[in-house]
Amino acid sequence: MRKLKIAYSRVFNFLIYRYFKLRFKKNKEILAKNFENGKFAIEVFSKMGFGANLIWVLEILAFCEEKNLTPYIKFRNPSKRIGATSFSELVKVQPENSEKTSLKYAAIRNFSNLSLPDPWNYNARLTIERANFLVKKYIKLNIQLFHEVNTFETLNFKEYTVIGIHYRGTDKITEAPAVHYDAVLSVMQQEIKKSKNKLKFFIASDDQGFIDFVRNNIPESALIIRSLKRSGNGKPIHISFRDYKAVNREALIDCLLLSKCSKLYKTASILSGCSVIFNPQLEVEMLNEPYPEYRFFPEKFLISKSKI
């Protein structure tokens, strides 16, 4: 059985390799034709998390703004069976894609697959203000989810000063120093001591162990924690969970709710970094800093506010 699985995996990977090789070969022709018509149509095959995908969208939009092109963007996760296209269902770029059109899409797994004459450096050129402008101009969030976020805010944030806490507990130790639970607890206890208003903490995390730790050390009445599946084994949920649609949906909800907090304490994570894109006035303090080679947008604008 093991040999059969290995053989199947090799055949599958070979077919995937051939598929993308053929798609990439057609990119130059597709791009040239679409550029003539003032369009940039791109299908992104990505295994990344929600935050990283959103930043890729912003890079594409920045490119289209500069080149005066109309963007058409589709995302697909090739490794997931459930909700493989869910990112594009939640974050819709205007004008929305039409299946009836004969528009052809260039395919990428990274921007080098486009083979453009100039280097792709749009991540380095993004600013928080520019990203916020692009979001307002081009992006339409899923309306049902948007209403859910507003309802949650009304029911849980009203009449309180709400401080957001985002703790990325999986897979970021290769990109930034780990932050111990006690360090986050110390920050929360300091906020409780100096608070003169009714204070609550909105806790967002992929780490079930961190959620349990906070609940054991902070009164439940001071916590706002959504009920959802989290990682219990250190593996990133956008990789280990089969339901990619649910992962994307919950990630976007957390991102938007963090953007509505009075202040945000966060560990290195593009997801919570994106909260500042939706609310450029959000006060942020980072609890660690990404290593120099991982200081991308938007976190590179936040690391000067590191607390620990």
Side-chain angles (χ1 to χ4, degrees), residues 126-133 273 276-277 279-280 297-298 301-302:
L126 282 171
T127 65
I128 292 173
E129 292 74 19
R130 185 64 173 168
N132 179 257
F133 165 80
V276 186
I277 295 171
N279 178 14
F297 177 84
F301 291 106
L302 306 175

Side-chain angles (χ1 to χ4, degrees), residues 2 64 132 162 212 236:
R2 184 172 178 274
C64 290
N132 179 257
V162 178
D212 296 338

